[in-house]
Amino acid sequence: MDLIISGGQVVDGTGAPPVRTDVLVRGGRIAGLLAPDAPRPPAEVLDATGLVVAPGFIDLHSHADFTLTGHPAADSAVYQGVTTLLGGNCGSSPFPMARPSGSGSFLGTRFAWDWTDLAGFAGAVAADPPAINLATQVGLNALRTVVMGPERRPATDEELDRMRALVAEAAAQGAFGFSTGLIYAPGSYASAEEVTALAATAAEHGLLYSTHMRNEADQLIDAVTEALDTARRSGVRLEISHLKAMGPANHGKVRRALELIEEARADGVDVAADVYPYTASSTRLTSRLPGWALDGGDGALLRRLGEPETRARIAAELRARFGRDVDPAGVVIAELPDGPYTEFIGRSLAEIGEARGVDPADAAMDLLAEHQANVAIVNHAMAGADVATVLAHPLVSVASDGWTLKPSGEGRPHPRSFGTFARVLGRYVREDGLLTLPDAVRKMTSLPASRMGLADRGEVRTGLVADLAVFDPAQVTDESDFTDPWRLATGVRHVLVNGVPVLRDGTTTAARPGRVLPRTT
Ligand SMILES: [Zn+2]
């Protein structure tokens, strides 16, 4: 049956101002935009009186490829109006490897992990279809893990050829991009040359290159320069992930980073960036350790933590970053597997050190040693003014860097999974006026769609797929925060995925119309 979204103001995703139009949905597509007085076919009506009708939001930077099968209803995303996620970011993808490396227990992963390629992973997702769409990228950490293991050394020519072949295979199976996370072992062991060679293969196949850069603190500008050089030399389209500057000494550097991006664009480099609207990041505690300590993987790190002298060296190198890009009062434990110290979830390294009468770096070593190196953190390290500067830039998309989570759970995950899109619409559009509503919607829809090369989504236009978000611009609010993160966003009324309502009148339906999107060019 046809469906008409009636009475709303259409914000079409291009940045154009709102237009009072009804939207006709037929066969999963937008079949027409109907003037208020135009005749209409018999149809089911979704009331949007007083509401905004926008394209469904496209989250360009998600890690939900590791959570969607554990929670296919994807509530944390659906309640924000998100209809498509791009996974495989920060070098981390669920293929071509056969097993995940350490992941937080709130991820709820339910994979059998019996595949070795994207086609196998897509089959596992399709076996229990999600509410929303997932697009994929292949990550350097997964490639290196499969081909080389967790070793800290350059790839040989033969290993590089094998990784290039795996990028080509992922492209042939429908991946949208290739990604790196150059602070994370083993991807961090790759030289700029190795990354450029892989990016060249990605470019040959039309893929996007998404990078969590080698440094987001003292060497931020060097890292932006490396990423832009990779794009210049390989010809790849570049997405700089979650652009930010960490540590008080580095606040303000995002302005120079944005200038470098603009200059590269003027030179013909196809580059853009994305941001999440928070002054804290979230990652694993191991990412703050020196690269040599992680050589050989988590098992090797744990052996080193068992040797008093080596452990003292690791702690000393972490301590040397305090006051620069790591603030022991800003690093808060988000999640620990069961075991000792779980009472410290939600507390900072400084607080834990004080409570236990040890130095914060030693407290970090104890947590890692007792929890198989699997310690998730929230890291308060950015400036609010920088977040606003990046968010306001016309080349920057809104993206969560989050997961799809259930409405309730354990631990203190970063609120970005629940609130990113609602927070931009509530705080930065309605309250602060940093962005106009049409521009904010553009940054959540047509801009990320264009970065992905997703031609049939991202706008409210006749003929495109009916991925739609209907929300109240006066009400939309991120309810999740750092102390009480397990709260769904409010103010989004209806969400359609592939033409099917997954949220209706503010409540999820049982529908699971989502799929793994293949790249089609
Ligand atoms: Zn990242």
Side-chain angles (χ1 to χ4, degrees):
M1 177 146 180
D2 291 354
L3 195 148
I4 293 175
I5 300 172
S6 172
Q9 298 281 339
V10 170
V11 174
D12 70 3
T14 65
V19 178
R20 177 57 205 91
T21 313
D22 291 355
V23 180
L24 174 64
V25 174
R26 176 178 293 160
R29 300 228 164 216
I30 297 167
L33 301 175
L34 310 173
D37 55 355
R40 49 211 59 213
E44 182 186 352
V45 172
L46 274 182
D47 183 23
T49 305
L51 306 178
V52 164
V53 181
F57 303 144
I58 296 170
D59 189 346
L60 197 51
H61 193 97
S62 173
H63 293 286
D65 31 13
F66 292 93
T67 60
L68 205 52
T69 56
H71 179 47
D75 295 75
S76 57
V78 166
Y79 275 81
Q80 296 185 74
V82 173
T83 55
T84 295
L85 307 161
L86 179 63
N89 282 292
C90 302
S92 197
S93 60
F95 59 88
M97 77 240 254
R99 288 238 167 269
S101 54
S103 53
S105 59
F106 46 62
L107 300 189
T109 299
R110 216 171 54 189
F111 289 133
W113 290 93
D114 54 358
W115 60 83
T116 54
D117 59 9
L118 167 51
F121 167 70
V125 174
D128 188 5
I132 62 179
N133 300 311
L134 177 68
T136 60
Q137 302 178 98
V138 62
L140 175 60
N141 282 18
L143 296 171
R144 261 191 163 243
T145 300
V146 164
V147 171
M148 304 171 59
E151 291 173 37
R152 185 189 186 214
R153 62 175 176 82
T156 64
D157 288 348
E158 191 256 345
E159 288 164 341
L160 188 55
D161 284 345
R162 284 174 60 202
M163 288 194 279
R164 295 182 71 159
L166 288 169
V167 171
E169 178 187 275
Q173 295 183 1
F176 284 75
F178 157 66
S179 83
T180 60
L182 297 176
I183 71 161
Y184 298 115
S188 54
Y189 305 143
S191 65
E193 287 65 35
E194 179 181 321
V195 172
T196 302
L198 292 164
T201 302
E204 267 169 50
H205 295 274
L207 302 192
L208 181 67
Y209 169 46
S210 302
T211 182
H212 176 151
M213 296 182 293
R214 211 174 281 278
N215 192 285
E216 295 176 326
D218 293 355
Q219 281 89 48
L220 171 66
I221 300 305
D222 293 344
V224 173
T225 302
E226 178 188 338
L228 293 171
D229 282 350
T230 295
R232 272 196 195 93
R233 287 158 56 202
S234 66
V236 81
R237 294 185 300 114
L238 171 64
E239 180 72 15
I240 293 180
S241 299
H242 45 56
L243 179 60
K244 57 176 161 315
M246 302 179 78
N250 303 305
H251 292 167
K253 287 183 182 173
V254 295
R255 284 193 295 275
R256 181 65 191 139
L258 288 165
E259 281 171 14
L260 288 171
I261 290 169
E262 288 168 10
E263 287 165 20
R265 264 190 101 85
D267 277 354
V269 177
D270 186 349
V271 53
D274 52 70
V275 70
Y276 50 80
Y278 296 90
T279 53
S281 65
S282 180
T283 186
R284 297 179 73 204
L285 181 55
T286 49
S287 68
R288 307 295 114 170
L289 302 183
W292 62 264
L294 306 170
D295 184 5
D298 287 349
L301 170 63
L302 291 169
R303 278 194 299 282
R304 291 183 185 108
L305 290 173
E307 300 160 5
E309 275 181 33
T310 316
R311 175 192 171 112
R313 265 179 70 207
I314 298 171
E317 292 201 27
L318 174 61
R319 201 175 294 118
R321 293 176 68 168
F322 289 172
R324 291 186 18 237
D325 62 333
V326 179
D327 173 7
V331 175
V332 175
I333 304 307
E335 174 72 355
L336 291 171
D338 287 342
Y341 306 131
T342 48
E343 70 274 22
F344 292 128
I345 292 171
R347 310 276 298 275
S348 71
L349 288 181
E351 290 172 323
I352 298 167
E354 197 178 313
R356 298 186 51 234
V358 300
D359 171 274
D362 290 321
M365 300 303 114
D366 292 341
L367 290 169
L368 290 165
E370 292 290 346
H371 290 283
Q372 303 81 50
N374 196 4
V375 178
I377 60 168
V378 165
N379 188 10
H380 296 266
M382 287 90 87
D386 280 357
V387 172
T389 297
V390 177
L391 182 59
H393 195 281
L395 289 172
V396 173
S397 297
V398 174
S400 76
D401 200 6
W403 300 295
T404 44
L405 297 176
K406 297 177 184 181
S408 63
E410 300 283 310
R412 297 264 192 105
H414 193 299
R416 63 195 181 189
S417 295
F418 295 95
T420 289
F421 294 84
R423 182 172 172 82
V424 169
L425 295 170
R427 173 167 176 181
Y428 290 100
V429 174
R430 185 177 64 236
E431 292 172 16
D432 293 357
L434 179 76
L435 302 171
T436 66
L437 181 62
D439 196 33
V441 170
R442 183 186 70 86
K443 288 168 170 289
M444 300 172 178
T445 58
S446 70
L447 181 58
S450 73
R451 298 312 296 158
M452 291 171 62
L454 197 55
D456 59 353
R457 297 170 201 263
E459 291 181 34
V460 181
R461 175 154 51 91
T462 300
L464 297 203
V465 175
D467 285 352
L468 296 164
V470 180
F471 62 92
D472 183 344
Q475 298 285 334
V476 61
T477 302
D478 61 313
E479 306 287 346
S480 175
D481 61 25
F482 290 99
T483 45
D484 189 10
W486 294 94
R487 299 179 71 192
L488 299 169
T490 53
V492 176
R493 195 73 58 83
H494 313 297
V495 177
L496 272 65
V497 173
N498 301 321
V500 177
V502 296
L503 189 81
R504 182 195 290 261
D505 299 319
T507 307
T508 45
T509 69
R512 299 281 171 77
R515 49 184 180 255
V516 176
L517 301 179
R519 190 176 57 95
T520 51
T521 47

